[in-house]
Amino acid sequence: MITRFLWQGMDRSLRIFILLVLAIGVALPLLNQLTPPGSAFHVPAWLMQLMGKYLCYALLALAVDLVWGFCGILSLGHGAFFALGGYCMGMYLMRQIGSRGVYGNPLLPDFMVFLNYKELPWFWYGFNHFWFAMIMVVVIPSLLALALGWFAFRSRVTGVYLSIITQAMTFALMLAFFRNDMGLGGNNGMTDFKEILGFSVQADGTRAVLYFASAVALALGLIVSAAVVGSRFGKALTAVRDAESRMRFLGYRVEGYKLFVFVLSAAMAGIAGALYVPQVGIINPSEFSPANSIEAVLWVAVGGRGTLIGPVIGAFIVNFGKTWLTGALPEVWLFALGALFIVVTLLLPKGVVGLWGQIKARSQAKKARAPA
Amino acid sequence: MLFLRPLAMLLPALASALIAATALAADLPALVAGLTTGGFGDRETAIGAMAASGEQRAAPILEALAAGQLYVRKSDNLVLIGKPDGNQLALTEAISGKPAGSGSEAELDRVRVNNRLRGVIEAAVGSLTLMSPDAKVRREAAEALFKRRDASSLAALDAALAAEKDPRIKRAMSEARAASVLASDAPPPQKLDAIALVRERADRDSLGVLEATANSATDPEVKAAAGAGAGAVRQTLAAWEAAQNVWYGISLGSVLLLAAIGLAITFGTMGVINMAHGEMVMLGAYTTFVVQDIIRTSAPHLFDASLLIALPLAFVVAGGIGILIERGIIRFLYGRPLDTLLATWGLSLVLQQAVRSIFGSSNREVGAPSWMSGAFQVGQINVTYGRLWIVVFSLIVFAALILLLRKTPLGLYMRAVTQNRPMASAMGIRTPRVDALTFGLGSGIAGLAGVALSQIDNVSPNLGQGYIIDSFMVVVFGGVGNLFGTLIGALTLGVVNKFLEPYAGAVLGKILVLVFIILFIQRRPRGLFALKGRSVE
Amino acid sequence: MKLGSMMRTGLVAAGLLAGAAGSAFAQGAPIKVGILHSLSGTMAISETTLKDVMLMLIEEQNKKGGVLGRKLEAVVVDPASNWPLFAEKARELLQKDKVAAVFGCWTSVSRKSVLPVFEELNGILFYPVQYEGEESSRNVFYTGAAPNQQAIPAVDYLMANEKVQRWVLAGTDYVYPRTTNKILEAYLKLKGVKQEDILINYTPFGHSDWQSIVANIKKFGSAGKKTAVVSTINGDANVPFYKELGNQGIKAKDIPVVAFSVGEEELAGIDTKPLLGHLAAWNYFQSVKNPANEAFIKTWQTFTKNPKRVTNDPMEAHVIGFNMWIEAVKKAGTTDPDAVIDAMIGIAVPNLTGGLSAMMPNHHITKPVLIGEIQGNGQFDVVSATPLVIGDEWSDYLPDSKDLISDWRKPMSCGNFNVVTGKCGGKGK
């Protein structure tokens, strides 16, 4: 009875939350485009761009939460999927520059001219088509997740071990992408993008659309996640999280469940990365750095793992704090960030959303007691 | 009379050289003055003249010049040798060798040299000190002349060879002579003998001499002999190279072992994913810096002992902070290993920034004590003392830790608590106290690692981050909860890495090692030496 | 555009106000100057110092009454060695704080990351670090060295003075070493060095185990020809590299190492006695003796309250850049970016090595190239100095850039003008 009540409540709040995400997705660009710069309601372009970045981070956090919060797989390598998605988008954007690069080479991106490439490496073919790049954004991270997950889950690598090998994966990828011989821009990565689908990436209109697309992607991510989590499949998933051995004894093929959700989550991270790149204007191997992946996990922890709203809220809180503190108190922001993580893990194991739930539960308990 | 003619021609030349030498010897002050004026070219001429003078007193002046310790006092233009003494310089008069008090750099003008002059000086000092009464100095002089291979030092070498008694120094001198012959325009038979002599040395320097001869010789026989000699030396060296890689691998492995062994305790036996482990290493390194800094300013004579003083302090500092962390944070998180990861990650950010605020973000200098500087040869393997001591140190730490765990009551408690906490508690072991001590021990060992790593790496706030991922790899690869696994894991990864590096390059080598670990974990999900039984689940 | 014109009216108003109040004391809103250097993360090691230098320069300028009768105000942000954050912070500085100029960046990738932002929002960036060239933007002033102001004179010096015939080009695997080594390789071959006498080696960032590579250098150096190492190894990896060199007994008189990224700051972390005689090429050394430099060092040590604090080349670049900007603002009479960018070209200010550095039409400056040898006290002895060299953004030794020039004066106003085709826009068509 109570669980059903809570579940319904959760569902409704999630529905409201998704509408809220979409509303912000529509409102900011409109306020940016339609109000004059002097107006009190005007949203400056930089703020919109910042929010766009947060939305991408939120989608990444949601992806991490899907495997961690609902299936108990702590991936310290989700940054890799995010970055791979970003690289696919980056490759498309590089191909769109065409002969507007500094060397004016119609086919090769600047960094290749620079490194004496005579022709385009084979893996760059196709990326001049938007549809191809978009398919790759989903396919490449998924394939990597599939390969890693297939091996790892079959040989029952769990818990900490899995976390460490995902970390090793992203670290190895970072080192690999740093190599200039990879043909992906080395340390500098890809930057100085000109246009996407024929629209200038620097135009406010394009930015508004990208921002809106990020909001829609996040909303879709929430809906898909809710569908997965709410289904019978999702129940089994949670059961795997809580008692893996028991599920095995009951005859469930645990690795199949894990693999599905791991791949789904990787694809979501890839999409987040693809939306992120045109908005920040650069993709570079430091996105693979293990620290980034750990940070994504921390957003989830701050917001509240095992909930769908939590990671989104966590990503916003932490990144807003980072933006604000690196500007306002540059010398102490790491103290604040570090302290936040410690405090949240110690005092708020269920994150901010959990805190809200606790407060609500307490006040309800009080209310329930009051008439008696 | 015909045979006398060349002699007659030679005599005046000899005589004038002799006269010049005596005149110059008498004129050391003038020569020294020549050293301190004019450009680098003038100085080179002056150095040549001093070498030709054969004046014994010239050697220390030239040595001071090469070391950048020759000064001219601004007030009276007196040439002085200044040795650092605290913040001041202890001065002696260059020519007479009389002490001249002390002074600061500001009152003096340093006589500048460049690399080229340093080479010239080394050869000059070499020919001046070939007759030195000190056997070590004579040997060094011979080595310097071998590397310099200058035809002009032949005469000095011949004279020294005639007087030398010690067979080893004699050998070194004749090698130096051979190298000089090869650089001169001596007739081919002499050169062939010289090649044979140099070839026997069979080290890098002799390879250089032979290659140079093979490149420059005009006589086909000499060229061929030098080429063949170089080939033979290269072959000998190639065989040593494999051994060298093993040594480098062990050395890298010992660094990994030091970094990982503390983690093997906190992560391996306690199950705490301590992301701040690298920062404990960093704290150890900074402790070393502070110790050395204090020693430099207040007790310079203790400098060689600075690392020994730093070791216990680093253990106490890092261990103490470890205990604080355990009591303040970790103990609330037992049973939630993944949460410890998050909290300690936050902690590592705080510690890094704290160190940055206190010590600044730039690198700090940690010097090497004299017993850790330099290198020696084992065959053709170059073993640096610093690396050797780190290998030894890591093994000592490892052995001590094993003893602690196996032979002391504390070790017994630790093992009991990790194996079965409720039972240990029921037996009257104060488990919280044991937890704190275990975590402190792991952190303290990380601090010890920091002292060692300060010798080979940057002492900066980022120090720890470079080691954290490698440390986790080592522990996971070796098998969590098994210290011997950590030892074998570290050494294996080190050696594998060093064998891959020459073929794949440093970056690709590291990537391959990581991929290898990922695949290995699939095959053996619990590492090389897995713990058996239910307690690991 | 709207933003620009708004700022302009604001400035005119402020200027009028200042004029009305008289020049006895500074009036009007302060002029904001952005400082975009990492204060945390891996690059904090190098960049924090530059932030301090900028704060000092701004403080000193304010003591002199600011500029245009207005005080200067520093806006410090921390991009945390995170490249997308650099772009975000640049945007914040330009759009939110509306700074008149930004002094910042260290790594090439951070500059590449902020470049589109500065071009889009028409900001001004002063970039103080030696870099790989192959770039020229209207909105960036490059006060560090281009490859021809560092690498080539260093190689010339070694050839002429130490008769080096064999070369190891060792670098960290990123764009600056790659380009510099490419240029050097082409240059060495032009000078008759054979391919087998050049060894190129790349290592990852923060590489700390140098045993094999140093052994390899030794091996390469035992071929009977004088060998030198040209090091473009990046900051952090240098300390372990030099420690290994010292330990393995590679002396400068046997195999000299000339470095382009090692200055006084980097040496502060090493015992330099074993490194005596290894070289570095820069446009400034702390040990240069002249009144301007001595005054600067004194001010710096007083400002940081540390009598041992060292100075280095990128700091000098900021000094030059900042003074140039002040002069340009005075000349333009406004901080409006377009006016200042136009006014910058041709401005010459004293550098700290006793000469005048001038801003060239390609947004690079003239500098002398100094070769220094490391001394036991962590300082450098200058062993060679060239006259002023103009920074060459498009290298003459690379096939794709040798036909390009940059000239930001009107009417050309082009960063990649092709002298062969006579068109702006690279080598295409």
Side-chain angles (χ1 to χ4, degrees), chain B residues 321-340:
Chain B
I321 292 181
I323 289 175
L324 284 181
I325 293 170
E326 201 278 340
R327 287 290 86 188
I329 298 172
I330 309 281
R331 71 173 162 137
F332 303 109
L333 300 173
Y334 285 119
R336 292 157 57 192
L338 297 178
D339 284 22
T340 60

PDB file of all heavy atoms in Angstrom, chain B residues 321-340:
ATOM      1  N   ILE B 321      47.820  11.335   9.635  1.00  0.00           N
ATOM      2  CA  ILE B 321      46.699  11.861   8.857  1.00  0.00           C
ATOM      3  C   ILE B 321      45.780  10.718   8.437  1.00  0.00           C
ATOM      4  O   ILE B 321      44.550  10.858   8.443  1.00  0.00           O
ATOM      5  CB  ILE B 321      47.222  12.668   7.660  1.00  0.00           C
ATOM      6  CG1 ILE B 321      47.887  13.928   8.198  1.00  0.00           C
ATOM      7  CG2 ILE B 321      46.097  13.012   6.690  1.00  0.00           C
ATOM      8  CD1 ILE B 321      48.437  14.855   7.179  1.00  0.00           C
ATOM      9  N   GLY B 322      46.390   9.571   8.132  1.00  0.00           N
ATOM     10  CA  GLY B 322      45.587   8.395   7.793  1.00  0.00           C
ATOM     11  C   GLY B 322      44.646   8.020   8.922  1.00  0.00           C
ATOM     12  O   GLY B 322      43.462   7.754   8.709  1.00  0.00           O
ATOM     13  N   ILE B 323      45.174   8.022  10.145  1.00  0.00           N
ATOM     14  CA  ILE B 323      44.332   7.664  11.295  1.00  0.00           C
ATOM     15  C   ILE B 323      43.197   8.686  11.455  1.00  0.00           C
ATOM     16  O   ILE B 323      42.035   8.319  11.682  1.00  0.00           O
ATOM     17  CB  ILE B 323      45.185   7.568  12.577  1.00  0.00           C
ATOM     18  CG1 ILE B 323      46.070   6.326  12.479  1.00  0.00           C
ATOM     19  CG2 ILE B 323      44.309   7.508  13.816  1.00  0.00           C
ATOM     20  CD1 ILE B 323      47.050   6.150  13.609  1.00  0.00           C
ATOM     21  N   LEU B 324      43.552   9.958  11.280  1.00  0.00           N
ATOM     22  CA  LEU B 324      42.504  10.994  11.361  1.00  0.00           C
ATOM     23  C   LEU B 324      41.415  10.744  10.311  1.00  0.00           C
ATOM     24  O   LEU B 324      40.223  10.869  10.603  1.00  0.00           O
ATOM     25  CB  LEU B 324      43.115  12.372  11.126  1.00  0.00           C
ATOM     26  CG  LEU B 324      43.903  12.976  12.278  1.00  0.00           C
ATOM     27  CD1 LEU B 324      44.427  14.353  11.897  1.00  0.00           C
ATOM     28  CD2 LEU B 324      43.012  13.079  13.513  1.00  0.00           C
ATOM     29  N   ILE B 325      41.859  10.396   9.111  1.00  0.00           N
ATOM     30  CA  ILE B 325      40.884  10.156   8.045  1.00  0.00           C
ATOM     31  C   ILE B 325      39.990   8.972   8.404  1.00  0.00           C
ATOM     32  O   ILE B 325      38.773   9.013   8.255  1.00  0.00           O
ATOM     33  CB  ILE B 325      41.614   9.872   6.709  1.00  0.00           C
ATOM     34  CG1 ILE B 325      42.351  11.121   6.223  1.00  0.00           C
ATOM     35  CG2 ILE B 325      40.637   9.398   5.645  1.00  0.00           C
ATOM     36  CD1 ILE B 325      43.269  10.847   5.058  1.00  0.00           C
ATOM     37  N   GLU B 326      40.625   7.925   8.935  1.00  0.00           N
ATOM     38  CA  GLU B 326      39.856   6.735   9.272  1.00  0.00           C
ATOM     39  C   GLU B 326      38.817   7.064  10.343  1.00  0.00           C
ATOM     40  O   GLU B 326      37.647   6.718  10.220  1.00  0.00           O
ATOM     41  CB  GLU B 326      40.804   5.643   9.766  1.00  0.00           C
ATOM     42  CG  GLU B 326      40.234   4.244   9.681  1.00  0.00           C
ATOM     43  CD  GLU B 326      39.326   3.875  10.824  1.00  0.00           C
ATOM     44  OE1 GLU B 326      39.381   4.518  11.897  1.00  0.00           O
ATOM     45  OE2 GLU B 326      38.536   2.935  10.674  1.00  0.00           O
ATOM     46  N   ARG B 327      39.277   7.797  11.380  1.00  0.00           N
ATOM     47  CA  ARG B 327      38.361   8.121  12.471  1.00  0.00           C
ATOM     48  C   ARG B 327      37.292   9.107  12.022  1.00  0.00           C
ATOM     49  O   ARG B 327      36.154   9.075  12.448  1.00  0.00           O
ATOM     50  CB  ARG B 327      39.129   8.710  13.664  1.00  0.00           C
ATOM     51  CG  ARG B 327      39.965   7.725  14.457  1.00  0.00           C
ATOM     52  CD  ARG B 327      39.141   6.742  15.251  1.00  0.00           C
ATOM     53  NE  ARG B 327      38.754   5.578  14.474  1.00  0.00           N
ATOM     54  CZ  ARG B 327      37.908   4.645  14.869  1.00  0.00           C
ATOM     55  NH1 ARG B 327      37.327   4.736  16.043  1.00  0.00           N
ATOM     56  NH2 ARG B 327      37.627   3.633  14.115  1.00  0.00           N
ATOM     57  N   GLY B 328      37.674  10.028  11.151  1.00  0.00           N
ATOM     58  CA  GLY B 328      36.753  11.105  10.788  1.00  0.00           C
ATOM     59  C   GLY B 328      35.798  10.732   9.664  1.00  0.00           C
ATOM     60  O   GLY B 328      34.681  11.224   9.605  1.00  0.00           O
ATOM     61  N   ILE B 329      36.235   9.888   8.763  1.00  0.00           N
ATOM     62  CA  ILE B 329      35.424   9.639   7.573  1.00  0.00           C
ATOM     63  C   ILE B 329      35.171   8.158   7.331  1.00  0.00           C
ATOM     64  O   ILE B 329      34.026   7.710   7.289  1.00  0.00           O
ATOM     65  CB  ILE B 329      36.111  10.242   6.320  1.00  0.00           C
ATOM     66  CG1 ILE B 329      36.233  11.760   6.471  1.00  0.00           C
ATOM     67  CG2 ILE B 329      35.318   9.904   5.066  1.00  0.00           C
ATOM     68  CD1 ILE B 329      37.051  12.412   5.398  1.00  0.00           C
ATOM     69  N   ILE B 330      36.282   7.410   7.194  1.00  0.00           N
ATOM     70  CA  ILE B 330      36.151   6.035   6.706  1.00  0.00           C
ATOM     71  C   ILE B 330      35.279   5.180   7.620  1.00  0.00           C
ATOM     72  O   ILE B 330      34.504   4.347   7.154  1.00  0.00           O
ATOM     73  CB  ILE B 330      37.543   5.370   6.571  1.00  0.00           C
ATOM     74  CG1 ILE B 330      38.484   6.258   5.764  1.00  0.00           C
ATOM     75  CG2 ILE B 330      37.435   3.986   5.968  1.00  0.00           C
ATOM     76  CD1 ILE B 330      38.300   6.214   4.299  1.00  0.00           C
ATOM     77  N   ARG B 331      35.391   5.370   8.927  1.00  0.00           N
ATOM     78  CA  ARG B 331      34.712   4.421   9.820  1.00  0.00           C
ATOM     79  C   ARG B 331      33.196   4.462   9.680  1.00  0.00           C
ATOM     80  O   ARG B 331      32.508   3.531  10.074  1.00  0.00           O
ATOM     81  CB  ARG B 331      35.117   4.665  11.261  1.00  0.00           C
ATOM     82  CG  ARG B 331      34.560   5.926  11.854  1.00  0.00           C
ATOM     83  CD  ARG B 331      34.899   5.954  13.325  1.00  0.00           C
ATOM     84  NE  ARG B 331      34.765   7.298  13.853  1.00  0.00           N
ATOM     85  CZ  ARG B 331      34.194   7.557  15.017  1.00  0.00           C
ATOM     86  NH1 ARG B 331      33.719   6.567  15.748  1.00  0.00           N
ATOM     87  NH2 ARG B 331      34.099   8.792  15.451  1.00  0.00           N
ATOM     88  N   PHE B 332      32.692   5.563   9.124  1.00  0.00           N
ATOM     89  CA  PHE B 332      31.241   5.619   8.918  1.00  0.00           C
ATOM     90  C   PHE B 332      30.831   4.895   7.646  1.00  0.00           C
ATOM     91  O   PHE B 332      29.672   4.800   7.326  1.00  0.00           O
ATOM     92  CB  PHE B 332      30.778   7.073   8.845  1.00  0.00           C
ATOM     93  CG  PHE B 332      31.145   7.853  10.072  1.00  0.00           C
ATOM     94  CD1 PHE B 332      32.133   8.828  10.023  1.00  0.00           C
ATOM     95  CD2 PHE B 332      30.518   7.596  11.289  1.00  0.00           C
ATOM     96  CE1 PHE B 332      32.476   9.537  11.153  1.00  0.00           C
ATOM     97  CE2 PHE B 332      30.870   8.300  12.422  1.00  0.00           C
ATOM     98  CZ  PHE B 332      31.849   9.268  12.361  1.00  0.00           C
ATOM     99  N   LEU B 333      31.827   4.450   6.894  1.00  0.00           N
ATOM    100  CA  LEU B 333      31.517   3.942   5.562  1.00  0.00           C
ATOM    101  C   LEU B 333      31.852   2.465   5.390  1.00  0.00           C
ATOM    102  O   LEU B 333      31.856   1.968   4.274  1.00  0.00           O
ATOM    103  CB  LEU B 333      32.281   4.751   4.502  1.00  0.00           C
ATOM    104  CG  LEU B 333      31.980   6.250   4.465  1.00  0.00           C
ATOM    105  CD1 LEU B 333      32.906   6.964   3.499  1.00  0.00           C
ATOM    106  CD2 LEU B 333      30.532   6.498   4.066  1.00  0.00           C
ATOM    107  N   TYR B 334      32.159   1.745   6.488  1.00  0.00           N
ATOM    108  CA  TYR B 334      32.475   0.329   6.312  1.00  0.00           C
ATOM    109  C   TYR B 334      31.274  -0.407   5.758  1.00  0.00           C
ATOM    110  O   TYR B 334      30.139  -0.128   6.102  1.00  0.00           O
ATOM    111  CB  TYR B 334      32.931  -0.302   7.634  1.00  0.00           C
ATOM    112  CG  TYR B 334      34.337   0.120   7.974  1.00  0.00           C
ATOM    113  CD1 TYR B 334      34.618   0.821   9.132  1.00  0.00           C
ATOM    114  CD2 TYR B 334      35.383  -0.149   7.084  1.00  0.00           C
ATOM    115  CE1 TYR B 334      35.901   1.230   9.419  1.00  0.00           C
ATOM    116  CE2 TYR B 334      36.667   0.256   7.367  1.00  0.00           C
ATOM    117  CZ  TYR B 334      36.927   0.948   8.531  1.00  0.00           C
ATOM    118  OH  TYR B 334      38.190   1.357   8.799  1.00  0.00           O
ATOM    119  N   GLY B 335      31.562  -1.315   4.848  1.00  0.00           N
ATOM    120  CA  GLY B 335      30.474  -2.033   4.214  1.00  0.00           C
ATOM    121  C   GLY B 335      29.925  -1.306   3.009  1.00  0.00           C
ATOM    122  O   GLY B 335      29.063  -1.812   2.308  1.00  0.00           O
ATOM    123  N   ARG B 336      30.419  -0.103   2.758  1.00  0.00           N
ATOM    124  CA  ARG B 336      29.995   0.625   1.547  1.00  0.00           C
ATOM    125  C   ARG B 336      31.255   1.004   0.774  1.00  0.00           C
ATOM    126  O   ARG B 336      31.594   2.172   0.655  1.00  0.00           O
ATOM    127  CB  ARG B 336      29.222   1.883   1.929  1.00  0.00           C
ATOM    128  CG  ARG B 336      27.865   1.608   2.568  1.00  0.00           C
ATOM    129  CD  ARG B 336      27.395   2.778   3.428  1.00  0.00           C
ATOM    130  NE  ARG B 336      27.312   4.035   2.702  1.00  0.00           N
ATOM    131  CZ  ARG B 336      27.150   5.215   3.294  1.00  0.00           C
ATOM    132  NH1 ARG B 336      27.070   5.299   4.623  1.00  0.00           N
ATOM    133  NH2 ARG B 336      27.082   6.312   2.586  1.00  0.00           N
ATOM    134  N   PRO B 337      31.970   0.015   0.243  1.00  0.00           N
ATOM    135  CA  PRO B 337      33.290   0.293  -0.338  1.00  0.00           C
ATOM    136  C   PRO B 337      33.246   1.365  -1.427  1.00  0.00           C
ATOM    137  O   PRO B 337      34.143   2.186  -1.520  1.00  0.00           O
ATOM    138  CB  PRO B 337      33.734  -1.054  -0.909  1.00  0.00           C
ATOM    139  CG  PRO B 337      32.510  -1.879  -1.003  1.00  0.00           C
ATOM    140  CD  PRO B 337      31.612  -1.406   0.093  1.00  0.00           C
ATOM    141  N   LEU B 338      32.160   1.346  -2.227  1.00  0.00           N
ATOM    142  CA  LEU B 338      32.144   2.303  -3.322  1.00  0.00           C
ATOM    143  C   LEU B 338      31.966   3.727  -2.802  1.00  0.00           C
ATOM    144  O   LEU B 338      32.391   4.686  -3.426  1.00  0.00           O
ATOM    145  CB  LEU B 338      31.045   1.940  -4.317  1.00  0.00           C
ATOM    146  CG  LEU B 338      31.285   0.566  -4.964  1.00  0.00           C
ATOM    147  CD1 LEU B 338      30.165   0.199  -5.910  1.00  0.00           C
ATOM    148  CD2 LEU B 338      32.614   0.526  -5.698  1.00  0.00           C
ATOM    149  N   ASP B 339      31.349   3.834  -1.624  1.00  0.00           N
ATOM    150  CA  ASP B 339      31.203   5.174  -1.046  1.00  0.00           C
ATOM    151  C   ASP B 339      32.533   5.705  -0.535  1.00  0.00           C
ATOM    152  O   ASP B 339      32.781   6.907  -0.559  1.00  0.00           O
ATOM    153  CB  ASP B 339      30.189   5.159   0.102  1.00  0.00           C
ATOM    154  CG  ASP B 339      28.783   5.099  -0.437  1.00  0.00           C
ATOM    155  OD1 ASP B 339      28.636   4.659  -1.594  1.00  0.00           O
ATOM    156  OD2 ASP B 339      27.844   5.488   0.273  1.00  0.00           O
ATOM    157  N   THR B 340      33.389   4.772  -0.075  1.00  0.00           N
ATOM    158  CA  THR B 340      34.693   5.260   0.371  1.00  0.00           C
ATOM    159  C   THR B 340      35.433   5.891  -0.794  1.00  0.00           C
ATOM    160  O   THR B 340      36.179   6.845  -0.628  1.00  0.00           O
ATOM    161  CB  THR B 340      35.550   4.121   0.946  1.00  0.00           C
ATOM    162  OG1 THR B 340      35.747   3.129  -0.065  1.00  0.00           O
ATOM    163  CG2 THR B 340      34.912   3.503   2.161  1.00  0.00           C
TER     164      THR B 340
END
